[in-house]
Amino acid sequence: MGLGWTLLLLASVGSANVCLPDGIPENDRAFLQSATGELEVVKLLAFDWASAELVSIIARIVIEEVLGYKAAISDIRPLAVLDAALPLSTCRSSNCSETTSATGHIALETWIGAYGAEFQLFKQRHPNLVPEDLGSIGYSGEEAMYVRRDVLHEAYRSTGHALQFYMSYNVSNYDAKQHFDQLMDLPAEEIALCNETGRLWTDPTFMNLYAHWTGDFDGLIEVTEGYHAKCPDGRFWISPTCRHNTSRCIPVVSNRLGWLVDVFMFWSTAYGMPIAIGISRSVQQNIEHFNNHKVLTYWYRPDVRFALLDPEPIVFPRHRATEWAQGNKRTMTEGSYIGKLVARNLRFQAFNLYEFLQNMHLDLTEVQTLLATVATENMPLEAAACRWIVMNAQKWRNWIRKDTSCLPGHGLVDARGMYVTSRAAAVSCSFCASGTSSNSLVDDSGQTYTCQSCSPGTFQSSSGGTVCLDCEPGRVAGMGGLTVCEVCTLGSYANSSAMTECLLCFDADGGGEWTTSRVAQGEDRWIEVEGASDASFCHCRSGWFLHNGECRQCSAGTICAGSGQLELLPGYFSNAEDPGYVFKCDNVGICPGGMPGSCADGRDASSVACSACLPGFRPSRETCIPCSGSDYAVFTLLGLAIACGTGFFHVWRLHQARHRTVRPVALLNLMMYVTQLVVYLQLLVVLQKIDVNWDEPFLLLLEVFSIMSLNEFVKSLHVLSCVTYISPTSEFLLQTLAVPAFFMLAPSMHVILMVVPRWRSRRRGNAKLHVLFETIGSLSVLFFIVLCTAVVVPLQCHEHPNGVWTLQTSVKMVCNFTGVHLQLCVIGAVLGLLPLGFLSLCAWAVLHEFPRRVKQGDMSFISAFSFLVLRFSPGHEGFAIFLLLRNMLFALAPVFPSASTSLLLIQALVCSNLFGVSFFKPWRTLHGTYADILASAIFLIVILQAAFFVSDVDKASSSILCTIALASILIGLLISSTVTLGRHVFARHGSKFHYFLSHHKQAAGSLARLMKIELQLRGVTAFLDADDLTDLSWLFSVLSQNVEHLLIIASPAVLTRKWCVAEIVTARMKGLEATLLVLPGFFLPADTFIDEFESMSQSRVELASWGFGTQDITETMRWLRTVKKFTLESPLKLAQLTDVLNSISRTSRPPQQQAGDSDCLILADPDSMEAVATAHVLRYYMAPHMLHLCNVLPKVLGPEDTIQRGTHNLSSASMSNRPLLLVILCTRSSLVSTLMADWLLQAYRIAVSCHVLPVTAEDGFQVPPPTALEEIRQHPNIRRAHDYHAGITYSKVLQAVFMQVAVHFLPQSFAEAGLELKARQVAERLQRERSANLSSLLDMSQCTSSDALKTFSSDRPLAGSLSTVQEPPESPEPPESPESAEPRQAASVDELLILTQLSTLSGRSTEDGMVEEAF
């Protein structure tokens, strides 16, 4: 049995992976099944010593190869009993505060007797969790103090003493120390310190017992809990016998925790043994200490570590259990009980394994022999275990139960644990698993039991059951061996016990809509239940209803709770004959819901969605009530109210037109606020037509303002349904034609009543048709959204739950583009031409005609379309067309079938409106602009919130629209970038301006400005240095590269201006086409002039610095004789200028027509071409502002015009409402012009209703002082004026006029933006609230002394710039009557200005009456 046997065993194990020749292979081994159904490997916990591991390996091989279970030795190597017990239980610690699944099943060679105190305490505390002890392993563990066999032989040979007996160590009998080594022979660093925690030295439980029974307090250290061992050198405890001389001590070593050191202390004290006890730091060091030194040691058996030395235990007095129980350990140790611990559920998991472990017994001798063999032959434990199993088969086979007489609840199983039905194939018994029953079997050997699967229709849920139970009604078992019966699924039932199949509630062809349900106990709702016990549970499942024996799917607007009945939600309707054909009602209250066929009181249940009332009834909100006489009265009063309202509005507009009343800013703001309010109220009507599930309180607002809809307005006329039945076509025509026509009836009748009498009497007169057009236009613009919405009603359809599309406004009209619906669509298409035509007319009027009519002064046309332009600031009248187009698109939003698409369109329109208003600020006042921005922003928030209330989102359409929008942004930016780059690249190759206006600024600057305006009106671009030149160095570059034509305005001194000459030279050198516009006093250069120009050294040198030589200049002078020429005569007339410019630009623009009868006149010196040109420029820029501020168009007076008014127009009311506004252009020669004198004297005659404002139109003009006024009065031109005492009166008028602060207006110097600003200032100054009339100015001038006027006019001229002279604030005090005012000799400037305001507020003075009587 040597090395060959070992190698043979190892080879067999390695080749077959089994120890026994007939062992079960690994692939055929079974897992354990836990209580939760998990598969487990049998885990064995081997203690951390060789004998425990050897025994565990023996058990593992039998479990695997004989019993057929998968097994393994755990990696856990416990030392104490409790360390093994906890993994076998479900506790993490001894107090079991935390639990977990068991991590082991078996722990063999458990030293419960000697070291099981903590285990016994754990067993007392947790009896239901502690592992089960299956009894002794077959031998007891031996612990003692051992002596080497060579030391025994030496002592016996030399002295005859036997050192295996304790009495041989008593110093009074024998000096045993001579046979042992000294303490110093042991390495001190390999001995543990006595004060280390975890050793028995520092455990008061052991040391306190020693102190109590021995009284050896000198060998102890007192601590709080009791005593610790006292080691003089810190490592060895010295016994009392050799404590006085440690050299006489025999070394004793233990290991690990210090096994039995407390017992060694008892023995040394009780029997006078001279020993010094120490603890080796490790097991390996303990082995080396005993092998290499002559010392005593702690050892136990079975163990293999000291087998080669074959030590002997020292024999002490026989063990006394009573003394050990009291803690007195002076006698011999008792053999420790070694048990076998297993998990508590192992009995149920594998009973045969449980019985095997219970029967397993080994002898100490054979275990020790095996360990000795392992040590001597250097054999692995695995091989030693396998050899023992092979050689001792008869012994271990007796551990395996062979009895096949099973008890009830058990059954026969084979070696693999499979159930069998005969003893011949069985090796043991096992619990019958769930799904089986334990059935009796009687054979030749007697009675036993077998486990058999439950038959179909029965079950067994418990293990060890003796009978299978029948499935109860509602449950079935379709196959055998079930642990529980299967519940009948929804839509099936089982109406008896022990059924194998559920019965279906439906036929075999279908039934997915069937279920089994019942009413919830204590609740009014149906719940689905499985395990139905009879057919009464069969119903249509939730979302379906039973009709004619079939389950049909419920649509939207219904509730199908599972009872088979259909219930309608409020707002939905279906009839009893076909309850699944559901319509959505116009109003929730009309259809109360409930059972099919339910309608509100008075409504006809046979009509579609309760839309009609019963005969003789009329609608009253949701219900219908009987018709009564009060309905006709309400209808009549409503018609009268509309007629009176529209008629009053028309009369009010007639009054404003007749008196040309200027509307106050507050009234304009009110009109804009009302317009915006009505527009957004109409947008609420549009929102109501979109399929958005609004909630309260917003839904209530939509219902309140739904009256703005023409459809709702017609429905509110209840009397119509009482008179006759209204067809859908008639109702549509009422909405689109009758109602709008009725709103326009009163204004139209008023005009007819005015026109017919005049036509019969053949009297001529103005019927004010433009005012009628303004009234109708105002109403059309105000309600444009509802008008457009009414036209597209046939296209506004919505889908019902039954899949039918009907009109939103009439649920009884099906949208199928046939029959009546097709007729409505055709009518709507024809009527749609009305808003389109109105939009086209407005666009033509505003974009095309309005600028021309403003220039012509056509006040009738302007008044007719004032409903479009009056709300907007000058230059932004086109925004009215944008608003109309926006409103028309608003009306189209409900036409889209997808609510998300409709909301997206409205969002785009509101955003574009918000951007346009924010950027252009088109409204006439900032208040209107801010109001529109705020309203748009808030409404945009409402639209964005509406997206959360859309139930049916068309994701495909929304995704396409978002894609198009994003693509538009990207493509737009790409195109813009490309166009901008192209313009930059090709800018040098194209001409930016058609004409370059070369002129002498002082002599023809205003004329050049006027010509640029006229050319722009013709669509021709012109370069004017005042506007387009920011750097003089660019002048010639622009002329040579960006101009097509040079237009030379030939004033008398133009050729003496070096820059003008340089421009002409550049044009000739570049080959530009040139035209000469000859003004009075200009002559082409003669040869003598050319020769003299050559002698002008200064001009020649300056031009030479810019690259112009003398020869170039002289050739250009001669070249001028060859260019095309046009002549402009004085005085300047627009018709002549128009003809000349038409010829030059090759256009055919007709001459502008000024307003024939205007209340705003511009006075300029007709003999000065520059002054007249300035007047027309001022008129051009003033016109839009005057039209909006004063409701008039300015006019430039010509030589043939006069200033006069008839006496019938001089009433106080007329003068208050229609002042005459005069703008006096002040130039150097204007004050001595005969026509200017005549005009101002004519204004003097109507000074009460005449408002004047001086405008300086020439650099260097100054207000004439008194001495200059005297010269002007004596001027021959003034003497020729057609008036008596003209000079005296004229000087008074001039003195009064210049009491005003003048405005500078210089077209020859200002850029276009500056002229626009100055013109606006002039218009604002001319408003009646801001300027004084001529009569008050005359009063003020007479109240001042000549000295004061002289000082004031010379030191601080009133005609100074507005930037230096401020207008005075209005006085809050009431004006003083001129009659009561005392004459004063002098007045300060502030007093003069205050007096001006007081005179303006007082109206007429006494002198006013005198002036009227004199003229």
Side-chain angles (χ1 to χ4, degrees), residues 492-518:
S492 62
Y493 63 95
N495 55 4
S496 63
S497 301
M499 291 185 63
T500 60
E501 186 178 6
C502 296
L503 303 178
L504 299 178
C505 294
F506 47 86
D507 296 334
D509 296 336
E513 64 275 9
W514 285 89
T515 188
T516 46
S517 59
R518 63 176 177 82

Side-chain angles (χ1 to χ4, degrees), residues 345-606:
N345 58 350
L346 185 63
R347 173 196 296 263
F348 307 101
Q349 290 180 283
F351 186 73
N352 58 342
L353 173 60
Y354 177 83
E355 284 189 325
F356 160 73
L357 295 173
Q358 195 174 36
N359 297 329
M360 182 179 180
H361 294 90
L362 292 169
D363 296 331
L364 178 61
T365 302
E366 61 183 343
V367 173
Q368 193 65 29
T369 301
L370 273 176
L371 292 175
T373 303
V374 169
T376 56
E377 298 181 9
N378 198 21
M379 180 184 295
L381 292 176
E382 182 78 20
C386 179
R387 186 172 71 172
W388 184 92
I389 290 174
V390 172
M391 297 179 63
N392 297 274
Q394 185 62 35
K395 182 174 185 177
W396 59 259
R397 287 191 182 278
N398 291 329
W399 300 343
I400 301 174
R401 179 179 178 182
K402 297 180 179 61
D403 187 8
T404 56
S405 299
C406 301
L407 299 176
H410 295 74
L412 298 174
V413 294
D414 59 12
R416 299 183 181 183
M418 304 299 294
Y419 294 121
V420 294
T421 58
S422 66
R423 292 181 189 267
V427 296
S428 65
C429 298
S430 178
F431 263 136
C432 291
S434 56
T436 64
S437 62
S438 181
N439 297 330
S440 176
L441 173 67
V442 179
D443 56 10
D444 296 340
S445 300
Q447 186 181 24
T448 188
Y449 286 85
T450 61
C451 297
Q452 296 182 2
S453 297
C454 294
S455 61
T458 63
F459 75 101
Q460 177 55 258
S461 60
S462 302
S463 300
T466 58
V467 64
C468 291
L469 305 176
D470 292 340
C471 294
E472 61 184 4
R475 294 175 177 266
V476 296
M479 57 185 297
L482 295 183
T483 59
V484 292
C485 294
E486 298 176 353
V487 178
C488 289
T489 59
L490 298 177
S492 62
Y493 63 95
N495 55 4
S496 63
S497 301
M499 291 185 63
T500 60
E501 186 178 6
C502 296
L503 303 178
L504 299 178
C505 294
F506 47 86
D507 296 334
D509 296 336
E513 64 275 9
W514 285 89
T515 188
T516 46
S517 59
R518 63 176 177 82
V519 178
Q521 186 175 4
E523 301 181 28
D524 188 18
R525 64 186 181 91
W526 286 79
I527 58 174
E528 291 184 318
V529 293
E530 294 181 333
S533 58
D534 56 63
S536 63
F537 285 85
C538 292
H539 299 96
C540 296
R541 64 184 176 90
S542 179
W544 297 72
F545 69 99
L546 185 64
H547 183 65
N548 295 333
E550 296 181 0
C551 287
R552 297 183 180 180
Q553 190 170 12
C554 294
S555 60
T558 62
I559 299 177
C560 298
S563 65
Q565 299 294 322
L566 179 143
E567 183 179 353
L568 294 169
L569 291 173
Y572 293 87
F573 172 83
S574 67
N575 53 43
E577 290 74 18
D578 192 359
Y581 200 68
V582 180
F583 287 91
K584 184 177 182 181
C585 303
D586 292 335
N587 191 292
V588 175
I590 293 177
C591 303
M595 298 304 296
S598 302
C599 289
D601 295 339
R603 292 196 171 268
D604 188 1
S606 63

Side-chain angles (χ1 to χ4, degrees), residues 723-795:
V723 175
T724 182
Y725 168 75
I726 302 177
S727 65
T729 305
S730 301
E731 185 177 355
F732 181 60
L733 291 175
L734 277 174
Q735 299 173 17
T736 54
L737 287 180
V739 174
F742 187 76
F743 273 81
M744 302 173 186
L745 180 62
S748 302
M749 291 299 298
H750 182 272
V751 173
I752 293 173
L753 294 176
M754 292 177 60
V755 172
V756 172
R758 295 187 180 189
W759 176 74
R760 289 182 177 178
S761 61
R762 301 181 182 276
R763 290 185 300 169
R764 299 178 62 186
N766 188 1
K768 300 292 183 181
L769 293 178
H770 63 278
V771 179
L772 174 63
F773 189 84
E774 179 187 3
T775 302
I776 295 176
S778 299
L779 295 175
S780 300
V781 169
L782 193 62
F783 299 102
F784 192 66
I785 294 180
V786 296
L787 292 174
C788 295
T789 305
V791 171
V792 297
V793 160
L795 300 179

Side-chain angles (χ1 to χ4, degrees), residues 1233-1265:
S1233 171
T1234 303
L1235 286 176
M1236 181 67 75
D1238 287 339
W1239 288 335
L1240 292 180
L1241 292 175
Q1242 293 166 13
Y1244 178 76
R1245 298 189 184 97
I1246 53 173
V1248 175
S1249 60
C1250 184
H1251 293 243
V1252 297
L1253 178 66
V1255 175
T1256 58
E1258 190 176 21
D1259 284 332
F1261 176 83
Q1262 295 198 5
V1263 176

Side-chain angles (χ1 to χ4, degrees), residues 1182-1216:
M1182 278 181 56
H1185 301 289
M1186 292 303 298
L1187 179 62
H1188 285 76
L1189 294 175
C1190 303
N1191 202 24
V1192 296
L1193 289 175
K1195 175 184 178 182
V1196 178
L1197 284 187
E1200 68 282 358
D1201 296 324
T1202 59
I1203 300 176
Q1204 58 181 356
R1205 282 191 176 184
T1207 56
H1208 61 280
N1209 287 334
L1210 297 179
S1211 64
S1212 61
S1214 178
M1215 288 183 290
S1216 175

